Amino acid sequence: MKSGNSFKNKYLVLIAHIGALLTASAWGSSFLSTKVLMESGGFTPVEMYVYRFLAAYLVLLLFTFRNIRSKSWRDELTFLLCGVCAGSLYFITENYALRLTTAGNVSLLASISPIFTTILVAVMYRQRIQPGVMIGSIVSFIGAGCIIFSHGESIEFRPTGDLLAISASFSWAIYTMAIKRVLPLYNGFFVTRKLFFYGVITAVPLMFVNPSPSHLHLLWNFAEPQYIMNFLFLVLICSLAAYLIWNEVMRILGPVSTNNYLYLQPLVTMIAAYFILGENIYLLGYVGCVLIIGGLVYSDKCPTGRLVRK
């Protein structure tokens, strides 16, 4: 009986790792679709976020319309915190950081999120960080930096933009910790729908205070194949499926192991840009690839690479 349960647990863990890999791949590719819609479609960062997640929320609502409210106000406030930290605050601070600092700085600072998550888990759950977790995370972080700066871009210190990028990274870590409490209480569809709802309603006011005019009339552009395919990819794959899978993966692997997969995003973006945009991959990019994968494997497989109770 025990061997049967052991096999089932190993199977679930394997499926969870595959799910995390697919989700990180989707998010790493999402930058290209977002770039198409913002540069060619003419949408602002806030508009792009609202349209994308509002569409995903409406799709989810079709399947989960019977249960609207959570079981308690405490849970509802937790979902509000998660929706802000993983939605409006994360995406909008990151997008505005791009206007105030270099893209390389934003990408690098956004990669700190797994390290923040590890520290928060240790502090909030009184768990001791074993060397394997931190070493693997730092190695993967260095690998992400190699990929990000493989095209020769230099690091520039721009306090406002850099602080916004760090805020985005920290907000994702807070979401990871907050969602941990409600994941055992609700199914994945309900949890994800709540995240999208609070993310959208907290972002909508920013559309009205934005100095640039509204681009609602540009929604007609989605009728063109180029735009509709990119928009559907962002809605159905990068938002709907990715968040559903990511939350389920966190149930199985926990927040630390799951968030370490975020280091794969620069790698996937690099590969996607090579095949879709024809961008070159340089030696530093290959080095980064090896470091990211090596760090992930070391963090997960090293016997000292786990969090243990104090």
Side-chain angles (χ1 to χ4, degrees):
M1 190 70 176
K2 287 184 178 179
S3 61
N5 289 334
S6 176
F7 174 79
K8 182 180 178 181
N9 290 336
K10 289 181 179 179
Y11 177 75
L12 285 175
V13 169
L14 175 61
I15 294 298
H17 281 295
I18 294 173
L21 176 62
L22 292 175
T23 302
S25 299
W27 284 341
S29 304
S30 68
F31 294 109
L32 301 179
S33 293
T34 302
K35 183 177 181 179
V36 169
L37 292 171
M38 287 180 58
E39 293 184 358
S40 302
F43 298 103
T44 66
V46 177
E47 287 175 326
M48 197 62 258
Y49 168 78
V50 170
Y51 299 150
R52 168 184 167 181
F53 282 91
L54 177 60
Y57 171 77
L58 293 175
V59 173
L60 271 178
L61 192 61
L62 294 175
F63 299 97
T64 60
F65 61 87
R66 291 183 179 179
N67 298 320
I68 300 298
R69 288 186 56 185
S70 52
K71 299 175 182 177
S72 68
W73 282 109
R74 183 188 179 194
D75 292 349
E76 201 70 31
L77 290 174
T78 301
F79 285 126
L80 170 61
L81 176 64
C82 292
V84 171
C85 290
S88 54
L89 180 62
Y90 174 78
F91 282 93
I92 293 170
T93 52
E94 187 176 65
N95 285 329
Y96 277 102
L98 287 169
R99 297 183 176 183
L100 298 171
T101 188
T102 64
N105 281 26
V106 173
S107 299
L108 185 67
L109 294 173
S111 299
I112 300 176
S113 181
I115 297 177
F116 281 149
T117 301
T118 304
I119 295 172
L120 286 176
V121 167
V123 172
M124 294 180 65
Y125 294 97
R126 298 182 179 180
Q127 293 178 334
R128 181 163 51 90
I129 304 175
Q130 292 288 356
V133 172
M134 191 55 70
I135 290 173
S137 189
I138 291 174
V139 169
S140 294
F141 174 72
I142 294 172
C146 289
I147 290 176
I148 290 165
F149 297 105
S150 62
H151 289 275
E153 187 174 359
S154 60
I155 299 177
E156 299 178 24
F157 182 62
R158 300 182 184 179
T160 304
D162 293 344
L163 285 174
L164 282 174
I166 293 173
S167 298
S169 183
F170 190 65
S171 72
W172 185 269
I174 293 176
Y175 148 70
T176 301
M177 300 309 304
I179 203 68
K180 180 179 171 65
R181 190 185 72 80
V182 293
L183 277 176
L185 306 177
Y186 303 90
N187 65 57
F189 285 91
F190 184 88
V191 169
T192 307
R193 194 197 72 205
K194 281 291 185 183
L195 298 184
F196 292 169
F197 173 75
Y198 284 115
V200 169
I201 65 170
T202 52
V204 165
L206 294 175
M207 293 179 65
F208 297 98
V209 300
N210 198 314
S212 61
S214 173
H215 298 93
L216 282 173
H217 63 284
L218 294 177
L219 288 174
W220 291 108
N221 288 340
F222 287 162
E224 299 180 20
Q226 177 189 6
Y227 299 115
I228 191 63
M229 294 304 295
N230 280 285
F231 186 68
L232 288 177
F233 174 70
L234 289 174
V235 172
L236 300 179
I237 305 300
C238 301
S239 299
L240 193 58
Y243 274 84
L244 283 170
I245 294 172
W246 191 257
N247 289 331
E248 291 302 315
V249 168
M250 279 202 288
R251 294 182 198 264
I252 301 170
L253 299 182
V256 175
S257 294
T258 303
N259 257 21
N260 278 342
Y261 273 92
L262 294 175
Y263 289 126
L264 288 173
Q265 290 187 65
L267 189 157
V268 174
T269 303
M270 177 184 71
I271 295 173
Y274 172 77
F275 285 104
I276 298 174
L277 302 180
E279 294 184 0
N280 293 324
I281 299 178
Y282 298 97
L283 177 61
L284 197 57
Y286 291 109
V287 172
C289 176
V290 172
L291 289 176
I292 288 174
I293 295 174
L296 288 174
V297 172
Y298 183 81
S299 180
D300 187 65
K301 298 299 182 183
C302 179
T304 59
R306 304 198 182 275
L307 295 177
V308 297
R309 292 284 180 184
K310 287 182 179 179

